[in-house]
Amino acid sequence: MPPLGRAPDPTVYHARIGTVNALLAAAIVTTGSALAALGFSLWAGYFAMSTYGPAAVRRWTYPWLVAAPVLGIVGVACLARVWRLTRLWVEAPQDGLRVHQGRRTDWIAWNDVREIRTWPARQPGPTFAALEIRRNGGRRLRLTRSLADLESLV
């Protein structure tokens, strides 16, 4: 119980640690695989050139040179998602919601909320996959299961 005259501290909801760690692991593995594919392509090109001549270089290096940028793009996309998730959190004081997304903070007062929708998860039990808050002005905010303890926020 807070002291008299002081409001209780708001509940803060951060991103799920498991989601962030899984995305970070995927980013490390795919980026490392991209670098390995690029290194193997350089080695295969050198070996093909020194052993069989210039005709074999393209045939030996082409698949690895195609795979390297694709894996690199997937790795960078995972890193971007991790960056976005670690900068997202929601505070729930008594008079509304404060959504922090990087430098931007959005305040939603409870009297500004027109409708709240939830979508159930595909697993048994009272779990939710997403929460959508529609405001009076028509703006929408969608929070997904990437937030830890979304059920208590609902």
Side-chain angles (χ1 to χ4, degrees):
M1 191 75 159
L4 291 175
R6 182 168 172 245
D9 292 332
T11 307
V12 180
Y13 301 93
H14 292 280
R16 290 180 185 263
I17 297 298
T19 304
V20 171
N21 288 345
L23 282 170
L24 194 57
I28 291 170
V29 167
T30 54
T31 306
S33 298
L35 291 174
L38 186 62
F40 187 76
S41 170
L42 292 173
W43 175 83
Y46 174 75
F47 181 76
M49 182 69 158
S50 63
T51 306
Y52 299 106
V57 172
R58 180 182 167 127
R59 184 169 183 91
W60 284 35
T61 60
Y62 185 74
W64 302 105
L65 287 176
V66 169
V70 171
L71 289 169
I73 289 170
V74 170
V76 169
C78 287
L79 282 176
R81 181 73 176 144
V82 165
W83 175 257
R84 189 163 184 258
L85 279 179
T86 55
R87 297 180 62 191
L88 167 72
W89 73 90
V90 177
E91 288 182 89
Q94 290 180 347
D95 52 349
L97 282 178
R98 191 174 298 125
V99 181
H100 301 272
Q101 295 174 338
R103 292 183 183 172
R104 190 178 76 198
T105 300
D106 196 15
W107 171 253
I108 302 172
W110 291 126
N111 58 1
D112 192 29
V113 174
R114 182 181 70 190
E115 180 181 13
I116 295 177
R117 291 184 175 184
T118 59
W119 284 272
R122 293 185 180 162
Q123 56 191 4
T127 59
F128 297 99
L131 166 72
E132 184 178 82
I133 300 171
R134 293 184 182 204
R135 299 168 73 175
N136 289 331
R139 292 181 52 200
R140 290 189 275 178
L141 172 69
R142 186 176 175 131
L143 301 170
T144 61
R145 288 188 58 205
S146 58
L147 279 179
D149 206 16
L150 182 66
E151 289 80 21
S152 67
L153 179 61
V154 169

